[in-house]
Amino acid sequence: MSNNELAEDLVLFILGETGGQLRGATRLQKIAFLIVMETGVKGIEFEPSEYGPYSRDIANAVKELEKRGLIVVRHEVVPRV
């Protein structure tokens, strides 16, 4: 299984476990990071970012899944308080 397939499967797994919806790319990245760290999955790399762990693999998986019509990504403007 390639890294891309692994990342796509992880994104789909997370969405399945959250009822098909997840609010926020940062939340997705953090959940993916925790799963990878806890399970010891190899092949998905993370790096530190301003909002926590970030994986280009996960971000690319989301783009690819959306492109293939398997997920829908909504972009919302969140007002600052």
Side-chain angles (χ1 to χ4, degrees), residues 2 6-7 11 21 24-25 27 30 33-34 39-40 42 44-45 48 53 61 63 66 68 73 76 79-80:
S2 73
L6 183 60
V11 169
Q21 292 186 10
R27 183 168 291 156
K30 289 180 178 184
F33 174 77
L34 291 172
T39 62
K42 303 291 184 213
I44 299 177
E45 301 295 322
K63 288 178 188 173
E66 181 181 29
R68 293 194 326 235
V73 176
E76 298 178 7
R80 294 185 183 232

Side-chain angles (χ1 to χ4, degrees), residues 4 6 17 58 70:
N4 293 341
L6 183 60
E17 291 298 309
I58 297 297
L70 296 173

Side-chain angles (χ1 to χ4, degrees), residues 53-73:
Y54 174 80
S55 171
R56 292 178 202 276
D57 298 324
I58 297 297
N60 290 337
V62 168
K63 288 178 188 173
E64 182 60 30
L65 290 167
E66 181 181 29
K67 185 172 125 181
R68 293 194 326 235
L70 296 173
I71 64 172
V72 175
V73 176

